[in-house]
């Protein structure tokens, strides 16, 4: 199972914001869409990623006023990405090593989707259930 399989099931929609969006507006967007991160884009280029963690940290350090700051001040600029052919195992390694839960998908230099840790866990469980069922049938018919 790879990233292409995951995107086929969940779709290719990616929530993106511009670097000058305020943290308040990002917080509203993440809440409305029930997601944990947005990709920061400018002129169709990935400039960074901002997650709920970044907003919590900004508020912890600067209080409520921090919500007026633009996302460019708190986003992570060095974005780790994945590609359509990457396996679920590779995604899990990448998320574990980088200690983050989101991976934008890039193909031919373009953003074509995003995978979260929730998607990875969901597909990993589905894979395990399928393997168990195959083994059960094999043993039953053996
Ligand atoms: P998350 O666990 O995804 O909520 O993110 C935790 C921290 O990692 C935040 O500071 C994010 O900005 C950052 N982050 C999230 N995803 C990535 C990524 N793919 N590459 C680099 N940093 C990331």
């Amino acid at each position: 199972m790879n990233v292409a399989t995951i995107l086929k099931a969940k779709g290719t929609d990616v929530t993106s914001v511009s670097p000058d969006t305020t943290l308040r507006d990002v917080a509203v967007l993440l809440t409305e869409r029930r997601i944990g991160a947005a990709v920061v884009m400018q002129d169709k280029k990935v400039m960074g990623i901002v997650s709920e963690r970044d907003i919590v940290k900004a508020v912890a350090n600067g209080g409520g006023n921090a919500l007026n700051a633009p996302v460019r001040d708190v986003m992570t600029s060095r974005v780790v990405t994945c590609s359509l052919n990457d396996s679920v195992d590779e995604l899990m390694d990448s998320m574990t090593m980088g200690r983050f839960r989101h991976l934008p998908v890039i193909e031919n230099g373009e953003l074509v989707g995003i995978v979260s840790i929730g998607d990875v866990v969901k597909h990993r469980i589905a894979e395990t259930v399928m393997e168990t069922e195959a083994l059960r049938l094999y043993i039953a018919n053996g």
Side-chain angles (χ1 to χ4, degrees):
M1 203 170 285
N2 62 12
V3 172
T5 321
I6 294 179
L7 290 190
K8 218 175 271 172
K10 74 165 275 196
T12 55
D13 260 12
V14 184
T15 296
S16 63
V17 294
S18 77
D20 47 9
T21 313
T22 64
L23 293 192
R24 178 174 287 103
D25 286 347
V26 177
V28 169
L29 196 64
L30 297 184
T31 304
E32 281 174 358
R33 301 200 180 171
R34 302 169 79 179
I35 54 174
V39 178
V40 184
M41 304 275 292
Q42 193 166 41
D43 301 328
K44 294 189 176 170
K45 253 187 69 186
V46 174
M47 309 298 290
I49 188 162
V50 58
S51 92
E52 51 202 3
R53 288 263 169 95
D54 300 313
I55 299 174
V56 168
K57 193 168 147 195
V59 171
N61 291 334
N65 271 344
L67 292 172
N68 298 320
V71 81
R72 69 168 85 247
D73 289 359
V74 307
M75 69 185 189
T76 302
S77 312
R78 279 174 148 232
V79 185
V80 180
T81 61
C82 64
S83 58
L84 290 173
N85 286 329
D86 287 351
S87 68
V88 170
D89 282 349
E90 284 170 318
L91 297 188
M92 290 198 307
D93 282 351
S94 196
M95 287 182 182
T96 307
M97 302 261 291
R99 293 172 173 271
F100 47 66
R101 298 165 292 178
H102 300 87
L103 275 171
V105 186
I106 303 285
E107 209 59 31
N108 300 321
E110 291 207 356
L111 180 65
V112 296
I114 187 162
V115 178
S116 76
I117 199 161
D119 302 319
V120 172
V121 169
K122 190 172 151 190
H123 282 78
R124 175 48 107 208
I125 290 173
E127 213 170 41
T128 307
V129 168
M130 267 161 37
E131 280 167 13
T132 308
E133 184 57 11
L135 271 176
R136 202 186 61 75
L137 285 173
Y138 177 76
I139 292 165
N141 300 327

